[in-house]
Amino acid sequence: MKAMDIGSSTSSSSISSTSSKKNTQLDIELVVLNPQKEDEATTSSPSDNNNNIENNLLPDTYYNRFHIWLHPPTKPRAVQLFRLENLAIPACYFLVGALQGLSGALMNVYPLDLGATEAQQVTVAALRSLPASFKLVYGFISDGHPLWGYRRKSYMVCGWTVAGISMVFLALPATPSIPYLSLCYFMFGLGFWYADVMADSVVAEKAKLEPEDSRGALQSTCYGCRFFALMVFAPISTVMYEKIGPKSIILLMAILPLSIMLPLIYFFKENKNPPTSTVKQQCNEIWTTVCSRAVWQPMGFVYFYNVLQVGNAAWKQYLRSVLFFTTTELNTLLVVSYVLLYLGVMCYKYYFIKWSWRSIYIMTTLINGLLSILQIFLILEITFGMSTFLFALGDDAMAEFIMGIQFLPTTIMMVHLCPKGSEGASYAMFTTVNNSALNLASTLSTMLLGVWDVSKETMENGDLSGFLKLTVFTTLIQMSGILLVKLLPETKEELMRLNYGHFSKIGGGIFLTVTILSLLYSVVAGVLNIVDPGWSGES
């Protein structure tokens, strides 16, 4: 599991102009403190004012309440997501979740039905995920090289077209070979992640236009669409595979991008021929950004906190070999987890969005520790009269609920760290740091399997002592992340105060080094899984 706009000129407040004379660093968007000044020509127009007046005069009926909910009069037109010219944005997030739900269930079973060996399964998985390692490249290209006059929508068209056509080609043969399946999925991933980066870039631009009292609502709505679609389409994919066959899922994955996204992108409103920076200027902007304490300190917290989220890699084996969970029960755990992940995101949007970031992480870390204690109870067969399935369901699924609450504060913080004009590359860089930390945590959890005997045979023989020790140890590691919470600013305002007078080349250099090494690790591991599938011990 592992985890989200517009204006052509910088804020012109006296604070930013004074700061730019005293410091060589790039202002990381003072608009966080004064968003209405981001681009007054864009955020406030006569048509917006007219719409506001009209909305205020509407009779108080359910239809008009729904109309005002769709087009809030207190928000600039550019961030009213359900207007036709903006509808491509939430639709893109919805489609990302839908395709992840459809492909997840499909690719867990389809390679096996085609006779793939364990090594070939690793190869397919590596080719699916490898394009995600180049998100930073996608961001750099779109930031500095508009296609057909547009920085985002043209690349979004290309991405979804490649993703849809790849699935069309996969649907052509009755029984595709494993190499052919791998190639089609690699091309699908290339288009999928390119389009995803474009959507993130647009949201990073538009989020800066939100009024202060609703800051974060744009991202929570978009990611709510994504996780809702994931929650809905994952079980649909499972049922379709069993009742109709894999071909139906592949065709659906081909139809959705081409039939839904391409028309909506046509109506998407984006400034044409915007001013762009050269690659050198982009690199200088990124360097100046990461040297700010407002970047390397909170992103350092995100990285190390995620690295410490080391799970018990033997847990699924325990559920299957000791508790004898069936495939249906394991799939039920997955579906319920998706539901609670979505509910976690919604809870943050409606109940916790005003909480300080530190409070969110302290609360969720403590609750996660409580859930880990429940895992220990389950191992000791203390379930308070509940069935082992229901007890495990509450434990595993609630962990996803906690992750849903933690997800949005991180993405909201990332958006406010993006410098103007380089939203694509900078946001991709921040998400890469976040995801690479989770990947490293997964690697560490696998390495810990050799510390105690948690093999399948040992657990089947009734010896769970090593498994219990591993569970306690990983719980303590996860809980230790609470010691780092002071690195995280309390609020967006405190985040921006770190930007002024706190410029460190050492901090920026460490952050950039970690980012580059994380990227290299992802690429090298992905390539090795393709050219030498047995390098990590698979048969």
Side-chain angles (χ1 to χ4, degrees), residues 53-69:
I53 294 172
E54 292 172 3
N55 285 327
N56 290 333
L57 295 176
L58 289 174
D60 187 19
T61 64
Y62 287 112
Y63 171 79
N64 290 331
R65 288 181 187 179
F66 179 69
H67 176 81
I68 292 174
W69 178 80

Side-chain angles (χ1 to χ4, degrees), residues 106-122 124 175-179 181-182 241 246 539:
L106 172 70
M107 297 307 290
N108 279 339
V109 182
Y110 194 37
L112 292 175
D113 289 346
L114 294 176
T117 64
E118 183 180 348
Q120 287 176 323
Q121 294 174 53
V122 173
V124 173
T175 305
S177 64
I178 296 301
L181 173 70
S182 301
Y241 194 95
S539 59

Side-chain angles (χ1 to χ4, degrees), residues 316-372:
K316 285 187 178 180
Q317 187 63 56
Y318 165 75
L319 296 179
R320 182 180 288 273
S321 301
V322 178
L323 300 184
F324 304 108
F325 279 18
T326 65
T327 301
T328 300
E329 287 175 324
L330 291 175
N331 285 336
T332 301
L333 284 176
L334 180 64
V335 171
V336 174
S337 296
Y338 286 154
V339 172
L340 288 180
L341 178 64
Y342 170 73
L343 292 179
V345 171
M346 291 296 100
C347 279
Y348 179 82
K349 176 179 179 179
Y350 291 109
Y351 299 107
F352 301 125
I353 196 167
K354 300 297 184 182
W355 285 35
S356 74
W357 293 337
R358 286 184 189 174
S359 299
I360 290 291
Y361 270 89
I362 290 173
M363 176 191 71
T364 52
T365 303
L366 292 176
I367 295 176
N368 183 59
L370 176 62
L371 295 176
S372 297

Side-chain angles (χ1 to χ4, degrees), residues 92-360:
C92 190
Y93 278 84
F94 182 89
L95 188 59
V96 166
L99 293 179
Q100 285 179 327
L102 289 170
S103 64
L106 172 70
M107 297 307 290
N108 279 339
V109 182
Y110 194 37
L112 292 175
D113 289 346
L114 294 176
T117 64
E118 183 180 348
Q120 287 176 323
Q121 294 174 53
V122 173
T123 300
V124 173
L127 282 168
R128 287 175 60 196
S129 60
L130 185 60
S133 302
F134 305 112
K135 293 173 71 173
L136 183 58
V137 177
Y138 310 153
F140 260 107
I141 293 174
S142 68
D143 283 342
H145 302 279
L147 181 63
W148 305 316
Y150 297 104
R151 292 199 306 165
R152 311 301 183 199
K153 64 187 297 182
S154 298
Y155 288 108
M156 198 179 290
V157 167
C158 293
W160 286 125
T161 300
V162 170
I165 292 177
S166 299
M167 291 296 97
V168 171
F169 276 96
L170 181 57
L172 292 179
T175 305
S177 64
I178 296 301
Y180 186 80
L181 173 70
S182 301
L183 176 61
C184 289
Y185 245 92
F186 174 78
M187 296 304 299
F188 171 81
L190 196 65
F192 176 89
W193 289 113
Y194 216 127
D196 178 66
V197 169
M198 295 306 102
D200 285 342
S201 303
V202 172
V203 168
E205 294 169 354
K206 286 185 176 292
K208 296 169 186 175
L209 303 179
E210 287 185 290
E212 187 64 31
D213 60 350
S214 62
R215 190 59 59 89
L218 182 73
Q219 288 170 276
S220 60
T221 299
C222 289
Y223 281 106
C225 292
R226 173 177 171 177
F227 292 127
F228 176 79
L230 178 64
M231 172 184 71
V232 171
F233 280 88
I236 288 177
S237 178
T238 301
V239 173
M240 289 178 65
Y241 194 95
E242 294 177 354
K243 302 296 184 181
I244 310 175
K247 193 76 70 176
S248 61
I249 302 175
I250 296 170
L251 288 174
L252 184 58
M253 292 175 65
I255 292 170
L256 288 177
L258 301 176
S259 63
I260 295 178
M261 285 311 305
L262 297 189
L264 290 178
I265 294 172
Y266 174 80
F267 291 105
F268 175 57
K269 186 177 180 180
E270 181 185 4
N271 293 332
K272 194 171 185 179
N273 298 318
T276 57
S277 303
T278 64
V279 173
K280 183 178 180 180
Q281 290 172 328
Q282 286 180 277
C283 291
N284 287 335
E285 288 175 354
I286 294 294
W287 169 245
T288 309
T289 298
V290 299
C291 287
S292 169
R293 186 180 176 185
V295 172
W296 56 259
Q297 178 176 312
M299 289 307 299
F301 165 80
V302 170
Y303 184 85
F304 288 110
Y305 183 90
N306 285 340
V307 166
L308 292 173
Q309 301 312 297
V310 177
N312 187 340
W315 185 253
K316 285 187 178 180
Q317 187 63 56
Y318 165 75
L319 296 179
R320 182 180 288 273
S321 301
V322 178
L323 300 184
F324 304 108
F325 279 18
T326 65
T327 301
T328 300
E329 287 175 324
L330 291 175
N331 285 336
T332 301
L333 284 176
L334 180 64
V335 171
V336 174
S337 296
Y338 286 154
V339 172
L340 288 180
L341 178 64
Y342 170 73
L343 292 179
V345 171
M346 291 296 100
C347 279
Y348 179 82
K349 176 179 179 179
Y350 291 109
Y351 299 107
F352 301 125
I353 196 167
K354 300 297 184 182
W355 285 35
S356 74
W357 293 337
R358 286 184 189 174
S359 299
I360 290 291

Side-chain angles (χ1 to χ4, degrees), residues 4-5 27-33 35 203-212 214-217 219 289 292 294-295 298 357 408-420 423 426-427 430 491-493 495-496 499:
M4 284 179 213
D5 283 296
D27 290 340
I28 306 178
E29 297 311 322
L30 186 58
V31 294
V32 171
L33 298 178
V203 168
E205 294 169 354
K206 286 185 176 292
K208 296 169 186 175
L209 303 179
E210 287 185 290
E212 187 64 31
S214 62
R215 190 59 59 89
Q219 288 170 276
T289 298
S292 169
V295 172
W357 293 337
L408 278 174
T410 303
T411 58
I412 291 171
M413 180 178 67
M414 291 176 184
V415 158
H416 297 307
L417 297 177
C418 296
K420 174 174 279 301
E423 290 88 355
S426 54
Y427 192 81
F430 297 144
T491 61
K492 297 180 288 290
E493 290 73 23
L495 173 69
M496 298 317 298
N499 185 37

